[in-house]
Each structure stands twice: as structure tokens, then as C-alpha cells.
Amino acid sequence: MAHQLTQDEWEAQTAEKVLAFVRDEIYLELRFFELALTALAPCPDRAVKAFATDGDRLFFSPEQVLRVFRTNAPFLDRAYLHTVLHCIFAHLWIGADRERARWQIACDIAVEYTIDAMGKTCTKRILSWTRQLFYERLQKSGEGISAAVIYRMLKEDSAEELQRLAAEFYTDDHCYWPKQEGSRAAQSRSAAQKKWNRIARQTRQLSMRRGDMQKEGEAQVFAQLAAERGRRSYRDFLQKFSVLREELAADLDEFDLNCYTYGFRLYGNMPLIEPLESRETKKIREFVIAIDTSYSTSGELVRQFLRETVDILNQSERFFSDARIRILQSDDAVRQDTVICGQREWAGFLADFRLAGGGGTDFRPVFSYVDGLLAKGEIKALSGLLYFTDGKGIYPGKRPDYKTAFLFLGEYDDAAVPPWAMRLRLEPEEFLRDSAYELRRGDAAGGLFDKK
């Protein structure tokens, strides 16, 4: 005898059919989203009043989906795409230590701006006066379009204005977003984030093959994708400078406990085999941090950037006990060279830290200086070079023999950066967590700037 569906079961099944129809409608206009549109597993949840996601599942209220489908079907297309874009832009995981409510409003605005800019029939809506005004304000800022940029803009707004913007741009529920997305308690990226990183790359590649990136609406998606993806955690980025090396430690992955304990049972006081005394690990061995000390660099931001680096490197599992960090301060010439070999030296360095320089920016002297140290043997196991800068300088023409990354303090000319260099757009909120963000040209606050 066939199972008789209950009302709840029927609603859930019918709602899932509606969602499949919604995905098909979006796909007809945005074919490069084919992977993203099917990446969230439908999950009925009568507690939510709008779509919600944790990066793996799409939570929905069957009753709400069916009701909206009857009364305002186009809204479902827009809401579904809205939630998918949050995942593609990694909004769930890159909030770091930003104030959660303001960050989520910024993410909603960034996604809605993208959808409105695309102008697709399946998601098109009339712009309200509130949206028009905010979009004009965003475009005039000149900082690009991203949730991080919008977040900084919202710091200027009153609580009443934030509430009004939250109501205007609200589309989905963020209740299942990770609660500690950027904290030290969640230092490794989740499987869901890695999945969406892969989907974002594949979506971009698929669009390039089809020529969709040349279309005006689609170009907006990938412009923002580039902006959001460029704002990866510095903590994650630093892992790119790990090296593979044998370290003295028991390799428990290669150790068979059964054989080990069998010896004790057989002989009484002797294990059958000993665990391997070494293992291969990926850790920091030695690298250079170059600080752009031109007049446009903020002293306090540099200090906090170095402090964050200390926090990361002090984790024993990423830092060899004999690791060496070399801090170079340079504008149009190398002004100071400091070698750090331990926590005490870090503490002393930060306590007495002063920026040395203040002239124009030329990146080439740092690379020439490091090449000289390598030639003399003063650097023997260089993992890479990090260059902390505003990006306004002369880049070297020749590719160095070591990994190099430029860490930018704002918008930068991507075309000017050499193709061999890694690049990361840093957000001040990652470092200036305990004070309001102020990145002024020529900031010499706190006596940190010593002109030489």
C-alpha cells in the first residue's frame, strides 16, 4: 500500500519542486552559475522565515516558499541567487572580527547591488529611492564595490540609518552563518568554504570559456568576486610561505600502535617497533617582511600588522624553533634591517618600533638587498618575501628566485603588479580591531615616524 503523504511532507516535496524550477529559471539567464546553483542541498526548516544557508545546505520553510511562489514568484529567483552569491563571495567566512550585525548588512547590500547591476529579467526589480541614493554614494566612494568597503562606509551611519538599510536590503536569514568565522578559535577554513572557493574558480573559468565575462551584467559579478576573493585572511595567506622540512618529532601518522603494544604483551618490557623519530612538516623556516615606509604608510597600522604576524608565527605548529624573520624598512632605499629569532626579540622590537624612512617608494632596492644577503649566505632557507605597501611604487622587472607577495593597504593597480608576484588586499579591520579605522596619508600618530 502506497504511503499516504502528510500535509507537511506534501508541502516539503512540492516546495523542493518549486526550488528546482527557480534554479532552472536562473540558469537560463546565468548559465555560468550551473555549479553554484546546485551546490546547496535543500533542507526544509519551518523555523526560518526566509532562505538561509550554512554553506552546505539551503534551509527553507516549505509553507513560505509555496506562499511566495503563488503571490510573487520572481522574488524567489532573486532570493535564491542572493543566498548563492553570499557563498560565492565567501561572506559567511571572511567576516573576521568585524561587528557581526553591521557586517551582515554590508554583505546584503553588496549582493543586492550585484544583482541590480546585472539587470537580468528573472531577478530584475524597480530600484527604491533608498537603493538609488546608497548606490550613488557607493560609486562616489571610489574604493570599489565589496562588503568590506561597504562595512567601512556604514561606520559613519547612525543606528537608525543602519536599521533602515537593514530593512531595505534584507533578503535571506544569516542565522546559520558560522559564529566565529574569523576568530582565532577557527583558524582553519571549513570544508564548506573550500568547496565554494573551488566553485568560484570553476565558475570564473566556465564564464571565460563562454565569453560571459565580456557582458556588462556578468562583468559586475566577476569584478566583485575578484574584490571579495582578494580579501582573504592574512592568517591563511601566510601559510603559502611554508616549507617542507624534516623535523625531530614522533610521526604518529606512520606509527602502528598495535605492533608497538604487541611487543609489550609478548616480551613484557620491550616494544616490537619504535615510532619514527622524525616527520615532514610544513612550517615557516625563514622569510623577509619588507615595510614600505614612504610617507603614505600608517605607522599604527604597520605596528598592528607586525603584531598579528607575531600572533600567527608564535603558534608552534607553524614555526620552526630556529626560524628567522628579517624586517626590512624601505622607501626608495633600505633604511633598516632587523633580524628576529624568538618571542622575546619580537616583544622588544614591537615595544621600540619606529618607522624609518619617509621618502618615495621604490620596491627594487629591497629585492637587490635580499639578493645580496642570499649571495653572501646570510639568508640560507628563504621561504619568501612579504612586501607591506600602499602599492604606489616602482616594481622590479626581473622575477626573483623566491616567492614574493605584495600586501596592499587599499585599492591598487592590478595591471602594474608583476605577474610573478602574489597579491593580497588587506583590510584595516583585520589589524585595527581595537580602535576606529583611520588610514590617513602621512599618518605619524604616536611618534612612530622617524624621518631619516
Side-chain angles (χ1 to χ4, degrees), residues 291 293 297-299 302 329 353-357 448-451:
I291 305 296
T293 59
T297 304
S298 164
V302 171
Q329 297 195 49
F353 175 71
R354 297 291 185 275
L355 281 179
L448 290 170
F449 211 98
D450 290 340
K451 182 79 179 252

Side-chain angles (χ1 to χ4, degrees), residues 153-169:
M153 290 177 57
L154 295 181
K155 287 186 175 182
E156 305 170 3
D157 295 345
S158 64
E160 292 77 11
E161 178 64 14
L162 288 177
Q163 187 174 8
R164 187 170 67 87
L165 291 172
E168 171 64 34
F169 290 96

Side-chain angles (χ1 to χ4, degrees), residues 288-348:
V288 173
I289 300 177
I291 305 296
D292 173 8
T293 59
S294 63
Y295 196 62
S296 60
T297 304
S298 164
E300 182 58 25
L301 191 57
V302 171
R303 182 199 291 270
Q304 296 300 335
F305 161 74
L306 292 172
R307 193 183 305 279
E308 179 73 5
T309 304
V310 172
D311 290 343
I312 297 171
L313 297 181
N314 279 343
Q315 302 172 43
S316 59
E317 72 274 10
R318 289 187 188 157
F319 198 33
F320 283 119
S321 58
D322 60 343
R324 288 158 51 91
I325 309 301
R326 187 178 293 268
I327 309 296
L328 301 180
Q329 297 195 49
S330 177
D331 43 24
D332 54 1
V334 176
R335 304 295 181 181
Q336 189 178 97
D337 179 356
T338 306
V339 178
I340 307 294
C341 296
Q343 295 188 31
R344 288 188 177 181
E345 292 185 17
W346 269 115

Side-chain angles (χ1 to χ4, degrees), residues 120-168:
K120 297 301 178 182
T121 302
C122 64
T123 57
K124 197 168 185 178
R125 57 163 289 171
I126 298 175
L127 295 185
S128 67
W129 182 242
T130 298
R131 291 190 180 220
Q132 292 184 49
L133 289 180
F134 194 89
Y135 291 168
E136 290 175 4
R137 174 186 170 192
L138 183 58
Q139 291 163 354
K140 289 178 181 178
S141 70
E143 293 191 66
I145 309 298
S146 72
V149 169
I150 297 171
Y151 177 85
R152 287 202 294 273
M153 290 177 57
L154 295 181
K155 287 186 175 182
E156 305 170 3
D157 295 345
S158 64
E160 292 77 11
E161 178 64 14
L162 288 177
Q163 187 174 8
R164 187 170 67 87
L165 291 172
E168 171 64 34

Side-chain angles (χ1 to χ4, degrees), residues 245-274:
R245 171 186 165 190
E246 193 173 78
E247 182 185 32
L248 187 63
D251 190 348
L252 299 181
D253 293 332
E254 298 292 334
F255 173 49
D256 189 336
L257 183 61
N258 291 327
C259 292
Y260 187 78
T261 56
Y262 176 72
F264 284 110
R265 294 198 302 270
L266 185 62
Y267 302 112
N269 62 352
M270 183 175 70
L272 184 60
I273 60 171
E274 291 289 344

